[in-house]
Amino acid sequence: MARWFRSEPMEYISLIVNEDAAHDCLADLGKSGVIQFTDLNPDLTPFQRRYVSFVKRCDELERKLRFFAGECEKFELALEPAGTIDSFLDTPASAGTDDRTGAQLLESMEVELEGYESQLRELNSYSEKLTTEYNEKVELQEVLEKARRFFMTDAPRLAVSELTTGGRDNASPDDRTDNLLEAEGGATARDMDMRFSSITGVVSTEEKARFERMIFRATRGNCYVRFAPIKQPITDPESGYLIEKCVFIVFYKSLSIETKLKKICDAFDAHRYSLPDMDDAPAVDRMLTENAQELVDSRTVLLKNQDTRFRLCQMLSKSTEKWTWLVLREKSIYHSLNQFKSDVSGMLRGEGWVIADCVENVRDAVNKAHANMDMAMPSLVDHVPQPWPTPPTHFMTNKFTYGYQEFVNTYGIPRYREANPALFTAATFPFLFGVMYGDIGHGLFLFTAGLYLIYNEKKNEESRLGEMAQGMHGGRYMIVMMGFFAIYAGCIYNDMFSLGLNVFGSRWEFEGQAENAVEENAVATQIGEYGSSESVYPFGLDPMWHVSTNELLFFNSFKMKLSVIFGIIQMFAGTCLKGCNAIYFGEKLDFFFEFLPMIAFASSLFVYMVVLIFMKWSINWNSRMLSATCLDPDGDTWGTTDYDGEWIVCDQSGDGTCTPWGYSCSGYDDTVAKCPLDFGGTGDGCQPPNLITTLINIALQPGSVDEPIYEGQPGIQNILLLIAFGSVPILLLAKPYLLSRQHQSQGQQIAHHVEGDEEEGEFDEDEGDDHGFGEILIHQAIETIEFVLGMVSNTASYLRLWALSLAHSELATVFWEKAMLSTLNINWFAAYLGFGVFAGVTFGVLLMMDVLECFLHALRLHWVEFQNKFFYADGVRFSPYSFKQVIKDSQA
């Protein structure tokens, strides 16, 4: 964990390699993943780089492999995994230890993949052509069948309808005209003249309504359209999707209408088919028979083509992922080589950051690659003298720490060698989550879910997960810890599905409790002596609080104070980490004039608040309040063990009553007179104070404490207030003033000296000094205001621990009472339904939504309240040259 506290030390090195051995050198370095190269050719565009042709070849290979993967997906063939990334990198082909060079490997892959691509594209082209021909025959068959059915059924029915209509109009004068035409022998000519033309074809079902509407508008209703759906969907030859289509037949009686209809059919991509005369039944049957035979032949050829494509894709699916990883490896090698500079012919020079502990590994890898190539020219791995660029930040993580480190990196990268917030987040984040989510039952569900993810971690690592599943897999140990601390906090609250567990036996008892005859508003009494071990519940809160009427008042007070304590401790720890950073980096000004004033301000007000809370908890207020109470020396309450001091009987000169310490009461005495502590204020130390009022009065009424806890409290609070107020000017002014003095002494201020004009030069220098000091002062003022106001607002922000915990427990109580308790006394079926409702809302609200809510609030407390005390989050992430990371990124 000490190594995790600060990032790994880095060294900036120069790498000089022979051009022929450069590929093998980077192949070995890519396996180790410990070096981050710097681009030495920033002035060159990507197309001017030395190895751009190799990168383009890799891009072309990637395109072909994506094409293979897409074709396999069409057949629903999953790509066979190439094993784990580590095992892949250990094979000779990927490790660069085979006899083939990088250029030879690319050339062999290009030849092989080109052959497969051309073969597959030829099959696809042939398949598209066959599918088109097959679809045309299917559509023609449907058109013939639907048209014949129309002329056999609908046409005679329409003819009968016309005859019926004509019979009703026999008395019209037009009939006599028709009979004259028929008498002149014009009946046949009239029949031919009244015969309608037709267009038949197939159109998409989605376009049916628009197609019909367009025909009606274009022909102004002077046509007759009929549709018949095709039951079997037809495959689109281009996309491969199934499309619902229908047969249409349009009757019209004009050449101009025919022209419009053909244009409309073309616009809607409707296929038109020419049909024989439907009155010629033998010709229609012959055409149906011939088309059916051709349809069978086309389907046979199409299935054969599909089988050939399937077998080819099945073979490609076994190697596509391995080929993809090989291409990614080669592409990353040549991309890194493009960052090298060719200072000397035949040699390449690169620079980059290396983890300090791995410098020797880099040197060994380079020397090994040159030795394998029998190079006479030695390689060189040497340190680059400072000044260096900004070192990147890198932390060594494992399965447990990875999730917490990514948790911090999402907000920002720590500076190089800065204190790592993830070390503390690993403990405080699940703990604060547990404080808000505290419930034994709900936490057990979360804990079990985390254990299940850990149990299946090997299976999940080898499979491709979705974005959400991958995130849960990465945070599986975090989920376990969140569940554990939720259970722990639930034990402290003694809360399990809103019910208290009487595991160790309650230390409180109501009158008539044994006979189940407890009256409403009854007061519970302790079964043991106050302060003794018999009166304290062994672990957590006493379950009797869950059935008391003042339950909410007690839990609110307890959880609110607990939230403030946790918040101030975490913020104070964050401020201390700022001091640790200042000491580590040797920044004396930051330590003495930022860290120490911050500590003084935080301690004098907020840490003091925590001290008061613990003091109030630790004092026996029963004894203190009893010491200021007038009692009858002859009564039953005299001499009880509730008073810690010695019982003294007074002279009873007043009303006959005495305080336990021997003061004679007159009946008109106030608390100050009866209290033996003499701490001042209205309570004189014998009454429990309201801490909120006490803390507010520190600033609003200095020197005045209404209900003191200890002797000399007003004076101590005045001193603390002076320390707090005095630390603010130091925090604001000391560092800017000293920095400006340092700049003046070192001659680093910006000044404009004009030759021959000394007065003007002096004026410009003063202006530059003021400008430099002003900038520093503004920056320091922002930091001072942010810290001072942030301590107040952030302390209030930690009250979300209390609010979320209260909301969780109250929701659980409502679900239990409304869904379960209200149905238990009805009947078994109602209880069964009630349990279903209870389980459903518990899972949906408390186990899903509330987990996310508590997670986000705990996240905010770390990002805003804790980390802003010391964390700048402007570091540079270490991005090593690593094959493993490249392959992982490609799978994301």
Side-chain angles (χ1 to χ4, degrees):
M1 288 300 174
R3 189 175 183 180
W4 196 29
F5 181 58
R6 299 196 183 275
S7 62
E8 295 292 322
M10 293 286 174
E11 291 189 11
Y12 197 67
I13 65 169
S14 175
L15 184 70
I16 299 177
V17 297
N18 191 292
E19 188 172 359
D20 295 333
H23 181 276
D24 291 348
C25 288
L26 266 68
D28 290 337
L29 293 176
K31 286 181 59 180
S32 57
V34 295
I35 183 170
Q36 175 183 328
F37 290 109
T38 303
D39 190 2
L40 300 182
N41 306 301
D43 53 332
L44 298 180
T45 64
F47 299 101
Q48 295 173 332
R49 303 292 174 123
R50 189 180 186 87
Y51 294 91
V52 63
S53 61
F54 290 92
V55 176
K56 288 182 178 179
R57 291 167 65 183
C58 292
D59 288 336
E60 180 63 18
L61 290 174
E62 280 189 295
R63 183 196 61 78
K64 293 177 181 178
L65 290 168
R66 287 195 298 269
F67 171 67
F68 294 160
E71 292 300 314
C72 292
E73 186 177 354
K74 290 180 182 178
F75 288 103
E76 298 182 354
L77 289 173
L79 299 181
E80 292 190 11
T84 62
I85 300 178
D86 294 329
S87 63
F88 167 77
L89 295 177
D90 291 336
T91 56
S94 61
T97 57
D98 59 349
D99 296 333
R100 293 181 296 177
T101 63
Q104 291 173 343
L105 179 61
L106 279 183
E107 186 175 353
S108 63
M109 289 189 64
E110 284 174 339
V111 173
E112 186 176 6
L113 297 186
E114 180 66 29
Y116 289 135
E117 185 191 24
S118 60
Q119 185 180 356
L120 193 53
R121 286 193 180 278
E122 184 178 356
L123 288 171
N124 285 347
S125 176
Y126 192 41
S127 173
E128 184 175 342
K129 182 180 178 182
L130 289 173
T131 304
T132 303
E133 294 178 357
Y134 177 75
N135 288 346
E136 290 176 354
K137 298 184 184 304
V138 171
E139 291 176 357
L140 178 57
Q141 191 77 7
E142 292 289 338
V143 168
L144 286 170
E145 292 179 356
K146 297 293 190 297
R148 186 173 65 170
R149 185 177 300 115
F150 171 77
F151 280 99
M152 290 176 63
T153 58
D154 292 358
R157 180 165 46 81
L158 291 172
V160 170
S161 177
E162 284 187 12
L163 290 174
T164 306
T165 306
R168 286 194 301 266
D169 297 335
N170 283 334
S172 66
D174 293 338
D175 286 352
R176 292 190 294 272
T177 305
D178 292 342
N179 293 333
L180 287 173
L181 290 173
E182 290 177 6
E184 294 178 0
T188 306
R190 177 186 159 218
D191 290 343
M192 294 301 295
D193 185 57
M194 294 302 295
R195 189 177 183 86
F196 284 84
S197 301
S198 64
I199 290 180
T200 54
V202 176
V203 70
S204 173
T205 304
E206 293 181 357
E207 302 288 347
K208 174 185 172 182
R210 294 177 59 241
F211 181 71
E212 185 177 9
R213 186 163 56 249
M214 181 61 70
I215 290 176
F216 180 82
R217 291 176 177 176
T219 62
R220 299 183 180 181
N222 293 316
C223 64
Y224 180 70
V225 187
R226 294 301 299 269
F227 291 94
I230 300 177
K231 296 181 180 179
Q232 188 71 21
I234 297 177
T235 305
D236 185 7
E238 295 181 1
S239 64
Y241 296 129
L242 295 176
I243 300 177
E244 297 285 346
K245 291 190 175 185
C246 61
V247 175
F248 67 86
I249 180 169
V250 183
F251 294 96
Y252 60 91
K253 186 58 180 162
S254 171
L255 186 61
S256 61
I257 292 179
E258 179 180 3
T259 304
K260 291 181 181 179
L261 290 176
K262 289 181 178 179
K263 290 182 179 180
I264 293 173
C265 291
D266 294 338
F268 282 87
D269 196 21
H271 300 160
R272 291 180 286 111
Y273 295 95
S274 299
L275 300 182
D277 188 357
M278 289 292 116
D279 293 335
D280 189 359
V284 174
D285 293 338
R286 185 168 56 254
M287 191 172 183
L288 279 170
T289 304
E290 293 174 358
N291 189 70
Q293 183 60 40
E294 293 177 2
L295 193 62
V296 173
D297 296 340
S298 297
R299 179 174 177 80
T300 303
V301 178
L302 185 61
L303 291 177
K304 183 66 176 177
N305 174 274
Q306 186 175 356
D307 181 64
T308 305
R309 289 168 54 217
F310 177 79
R311 285 188 280 107
L312 180 58
C313 291
Q314 195 174 34
M315 184 270 293
L316 292 174
S317 66
K318 297 178 180 179
S319 305
T320 298
E321 185 167 283
K322 180 182 178 182
W323 287 335
T324 303
W325 289 4
L326 281 172
V327 172
L328 288 172
R329 166 187 169 274
E330 292 299 314
K331 186 178 179 180
S332 62
I333 290 175
Y334 290 115
H335 178 73
S336 299
L337 285 175
N338 277 333
Q339 297 178 328
F340 280 52
K341 199 173 187 67
S342 179
D343 296 326
V344 182
S345 178
M347 302 297 293
L348 294 176
R349 176 176 62 87
E351 294 181 0
W353 292 102
V354 181
I355 301 174
D357 295 342
C358 302
V359 174
E360 289 302 320
N361 297 340
V362 173
R363 186 176 284 111
D364 292 342
V366 173
N367 293 335
K368 178 182 176 183
H370 281 74
N372 292 337
M373 298 289 291
D374 295 329
M375 293 293 177
M377 179 68 69
S379 60
L380 178 63
V381 177
D382 200 4
H383 298 276
V384 176
Q386 294 184 356
W388 293 344
T390 303
T393 303
H394 176 66
F395 296 97
M396 292 290 187
T397 58
N398 52 34
K399 295 178 181 179
F400 179 81
T401 59
Y402 170 78
Y404 297 103
Q405 190 61 57
E406 289 301 310
F407 182 94
V408 172
N409 291 346
T410 304
Y411 179 79
I413 307 299
R415 289 180 176 179
Y416 178 66
R417 303 294 288 171
E418 184 183 39
N420 185 15
L423 175 64
F424 308 93
T425 301
T428 57
F429 176 78
F431 177 75
L432 293 184
F433 174 87
V435 171
M436 291 183 281
Y437 195 72
D439 188 286
I440 300 174
H442 302 148
L444 191 60
F445 275 99
L446 198 60
F447 183 73
T448 306
L451 290 180
Y452 176 78
L453 291 174
I454 293 175
Y455 178 77
N456 291 323
E457 68 176 20
K458 289 186 178 180
K459 177 183 176 182
N460 292 333
E461 286 174 357
E462 295 174 357
S463 59
R464 291 189 177 183
L465 304 175
E467 184 178 359
M468 182 177 293
Q470 185 65 39
M472 294 185 65
H473 171 70
R476 57 195 181 279
Y477 290 97
M478 184 187 296
I479 295 175
V480 168
M481 295 297 292
M482 289 160 55
F484 171 78
F485 279 107
I487 296 173
Y488 172 77
C491 292
I492 296 297
Y493 302 153
N494 200 345
D495 199 353
M496 182 172 182
F497 298 115
S498 78
L499 302 176
L501 299 179
N502 193 12
V503 179
F504 305 104
S506 176
R507 269 45 176 178
W508 295 84
E509 187 177 10
F510 287 100
E511 184 179 355
Q513 180 177 332
E515 295 81 16
N516 294 327
V518 179
E519 297 181 0
E520 190 174 355
N521 297 326
V523 178
T525 57
Q526 285 187 310
I527 61 175
E529 184 180 349
Y530 180 84
S532 65
S533 58
E534 289 80 10
S535 64
V536 179
Y537 197 73
F539 186 79
L541 297 176
D542 197 291
M544 196 63 73
W545 285 108
H546 286 279
V547 297
S548 61
T549 56
N550 58 342
E551 171 197 6
L552 193 60
L553 183 66
F554 170 77
F555 276 100
N556 275 348
S557 175
F558 171 72
K559 292 180 179 180
M560 182 171 62
K561 291 182 175 66
L562 212 60
S563 301
V564 172
I565 292 172
F566 290 151
I568 292 175
I569 290 175
Q570 188 175 32
M571 289 190 296
F572 190 78
T575 308
C576 292
L577 288 176
K578 183 180 183 68
C580 293
N581 286 334
I583 294 173
Y584 181 84
F585 293 111
E587 298 172 347
K588 295 182 180 180
L589 290 180
D590 287 351
F591 181 80
F592 289 105
F593 301 108
E594 276 193 354
F595 167 66
L596 291 183
M598 287 179 178
I599 288 293
F601 181 84
S603 301
S604 57
L605 294 179
F606 298 93
V607 177
Y608 177 68
M609 183 195 311
V610 175
V611 173
L612 289 182
I613 291 174
F614 279 107
M615 288 185 67
K616 184 178 179 181
W617 280 349
S618 61
I619 291 174
N620 186 353
W621 291 106
N622 285 344
S623 176
R624 281 199 180 187
M625 289 188 292
L626 189 63
S627 66
T629 303
C630 295
L631 302 173
D632 185 1
D634 299 327
D636 297 335
T637 56
W638 187 267
T640 61
T641 57
D642 292 340
Y643 180 62
D644 294 337
E646 181 182 357
W647 291 84
I648 300 176
V649 179
C650 64
D651 56 7
Q652 300 182 0
S653 58
D655 58 0
T657 59
C658 304
T659 62
W661 57 279
Y663 176 79
S664 180
C665 299
S666 63
Y668 302 99
D669 304 305
D670 57 8
T671 305
V672 175
K674 293 184 288 184
C675 182
L677 299 178
D678 197 20
F679 289 167
T682 59
D684 212 24
C686 288
Q687 291 181 352
N690 187 326
L691 292 182
I692 296 178
T693 304
T694 301
L695 293 169
I696 292 175
N697 288 339
I698 292 179
L700 298 183
Q701 297 179 7
S704 174
V705 181
D706 193 28
E707 296 168 344
I709 297 179
Y710 58 92
E711 189 174 3
Q713 185 174 347
I716 292 178
Q717 290 185 173
N718 285 339
I719 295 173
L720 293 176
L721 185 62
L722 290 175
I723 293 174
F725 282 160
S727 62
V728 175
I730 297 175
L731 181 61
L732 175 63
L733 301 173
K735 182 180 176 181
Y737 174 75
L738 294 174
L739 279 177
S740 63
R741 298 293 297 176
Q742 285 182 4
H743 291 170
Q744 289 178 1
S745 63
Q746 296 175 3
Q748 293 180 354
Q749 288 295 323
I750 300 174
H752 301 281
H753 299 280
V754 180
E755 187 176 356
D757 193 350
E758 186 177 359
E759 293 181 0
E760 185 176 355
E762 291 176 358
F763 173 78
D764 289 338
E765 182 177 359
D766 293 338
E767 186 179 2
D769 290 343
D770 293 340
H771 181 67
F773 176 75
E775 277 190 347
I776 299 173
L777 183 62
I778 291 173
H779 181 272
Q780 191 66 23
I782 293 173
E783 188 167 351
T784 302
I785 294 172
E786 182 181 359
F787 176 78
V788 173
L789 297 183
M791 284 298 297
V792 179
S793 63
N794 293 348
T795 302
S797 182
Y798 274 94
L799 292 177
R800 70 185 67 239
L801 298 174
W802 156 54
L804 268 294
S805 176
L806 175 65
H808 183 90
S809 61
E810 289 303 308
L811 281 174
T813 302
V814 170
F815 293 160
W816 171 258
E817 292 179 352
K818 300 301 181 183
M820 286 299 296
L821 287 184
S822 60
T823 58
L824 285 176
N825 295 327
I826 301 177
N827 53 52
W828 67 269
F829 186 71
Y832 178 78
L833 294 178
F835 176 76
V837 174
F838 171 74
V841 295
T842 298
F843 178 80
V845 177
L846 297 179
L847 296 180
M848 300 295 290
M849 293 174 57
D850 202 42
V851 168
L852 180 60
E853 184 181 13
C854 294
F855 180 91
L856 293 177
H857 281 282
L859 181 70
R860 181 238 153 81
L861 289 178
H862 285 78
W863 279 0
V864 179
E865 278 70 26
F866 171 59
Q867 291 179 181
N868 72 347
K869 299 295 183 293
F870 67 98
F871 187 48
Y872 292 98
D874 57 355
V876 180
R877 187 166 190 167
F878 181 59
S879 301
Y881 165 62
S882 169
F883 296 149
K884 187 173 184 178
Q885 190 60 43
V886 169
I887 294 174
K888 282 185 176 180
D889 292 342
S890 69
Q891 294 176 339

